[in-house]
Amino acid sequence: MRRITIFGATGSIGQNTLDLIDRDRDAYQVVALTGGQNIDQLAKDARHFNAELAVTADPNRLAELREALSGSGVDAAAGPDALIEAAARPADWVMSSIVGSAGLAPGLRALENGAALALANKESMVCAGALMLRTAKTHGGTILPVDSEHSAVFQALIGEDLDAVERVVITASGGAFRDWPLEDLAKATPEQAATHPNWDMGQRITIDSASMFNKALELIETKEFFQIDPAKIEAVVHPESMIHALVGFRDGALMAHVGPPDMRHAIGFALHYPDRKTLPVERLDLVALGQLTFRPADEVRWPALRLARDVMAAGGLSGAVFNAAKERALDGFLDRRIGFQQIAEVVEEVLSRVSAQPGHIDAPITLDNVMHADHLARVRADEIMNK
Ligand code: NAD
Ligand code: MG
């Protein structure tokens, strides 16, 4: 039996992962499941899958979790340290699907155990790509991309020589506001931003899709994960979300990964890698689909894409600053302290302030330095939003 741990088990990726595990229960022993505020879901799944341990990120919810698990034989724990302890329990395969930079430390700890880390938490790569790759290499672990675009690129690269890659094209749906007149964006509400045309995902990534910060993070993730020159990485708007990414080679071949928008493909690919097993995803009817369309990724409508280029050029800890500033600015938008278009303005201002302070962006990429840069960026974002 394969030992499996899921960080962020109660979220959208976590629940899709459990759906796949549930279809082949005897093949897996669930070691740990973690969640946040959704104690009922966490306890229900921990019981159903007979997990060894359930952890909530919130220390104030421990008593409630204990109560919900009483008599089940599942251990309960809470708080950031408990997440690290869960990551330290031996497991063969670990899903990293916490949202935000909070997912970095548990994922790193799992890599230190030599686990195969299925990485949905793109923030880990954006904040600390070099550290993630180094840790995997040192401890004999592997990192398998779960972001659909990166799973697509990974699959297109199987058996290929990275030197032969001319371009990587990451597709973007364009999110909730892709067809809105630019002048209406100032009035966009969190509720409007949190509806996605094609994908069913957590609230934060859905709003990041509308602002294209999700795609910005993914461009940086592409650079970090595949160690590809940023000049070779492009974004294109593809409203149907059927092609997840394309890899172009020096002989002119362009390999596309095509499929209906269902994260269980990328999760299942990472779960069974290097095998391909049958997955419960819809098969594409090309004739019914009829056509696929593409539009330019407009950097005026979506300034996040321009900022991603700056971050890729600056390197170092600028990804950690960029991500944390975005997380805080998104909180500000959700709390209605700032408007939709101010999200990018806050992030740009934080990047410029932190970059102007020597010793931050160019500090070595260690967990402490990343978390320090993350903290500093949040403080700067709050200063800017409270002004
Ligand atoms: P979600 O909001 O649905 O779930 C997030 C999970 O993380 C929940 O279990 C929540 O309890 C937990 N969590 C939240 N804050 C936490 C904290 N501070 N500490 C510990 N746990 C915390 O999010 P999601 O849509 O499942 O996305 C998860 C990750 O996967 C994100 O990094 C996202 O960018 C990435 N991703 C998601 C999708 C998707 O289809 N949902 C696709 C690609 C990548
Ligand atoms: Mg994606």
Side-chain angles (χ1 to χ4, degrees), residues 209-222:
S209 296
S211 64
M212 280 286 187
F213 268 99
N214 181 49
K215 214 46 57 180
L217 294 174
E218 290 180 356
L219 294 176
I220 304 166
E221 183 186 10
T222 303

Side-chain angles (χ1 to χ4, degrees), residues 122 147-150 205 214-215 218 221 263:
K122 62 193 77 187
D147 219 342
S148 54
E149 298 76 5
H150 305 77
I205 182 176
N214 181 49
K215 214 46 57 180
E218 290 180 356
E221 183 186 10
M263 285 309 294

Side-chain angles (χ1 to χ4, degrees), residues 16 19-20 23 262-269 279-282:
N16 275 310
D19 174 80
L20 293 179
R23 291 163 193 264
D262 182 339
M263 285 309 294
R264 291 176 307 173
H265 171 75
I267 296 167
F269 178 82
L279 292 173
V281 298
E282 186 195 327

